[in-house]
Amino acid sequence: MLVCDCNDVHFDAIKEAVKKHGDNMEAIMEETEAGTVCECCLEEDCDKVDLPLPLAIKKALEEM
């Protein structure tokens, strides 16, 4: 699942970052570069991605 279109970040990368950083969005963004260009994926209604970053972090936490 695509989480950040600009930097081609997928859910698996977010999942790995969540294992290290929990729900610390800034640390996850720094590690994966998700949400660092146009910032659309930071909004839950972003139509460029399959799963926006905040929801991807939530889903990753639920799967742990």
Side-chain angles (χ1 to χ4, degrees):
M1 279 182 283
L2 185 64
V3 176
C4 175
D5 183 53
C6 294
N7 290 318
D8 195 35
V9 180
H10 292 264
F11 180 66
D12 290 340
I14 300 302
K15 204 168 168 180
E16 289 301 312
V18 167
K19 286 180 186 175
K20 295 178 199 171
H21 305 292
D23 65 352
N24 184 332
M25 188 178 296
E26 286 184 24
I28 293 166
M29 289 172 65
E30 186 174 315
E31 180 171 326
T32 65
E33 296 186 354
T36 60
V37 178
C38 82
E39 299 182 358
C40 177
C41 64
L42 299 179
E43 304 297 325
E44 291 189 12
D45 62 350
C46 178
D47 61 355
K48 293 182 175 185
V49 297
D50 300 318
L51 189 64
L53 184 58
L55 297 179
I57 292 170
K58 182 178 177 183
K59 180 176 172 65
L61 288 168
E62 289 170 357
E63 292 184 5
M64 290 178 72

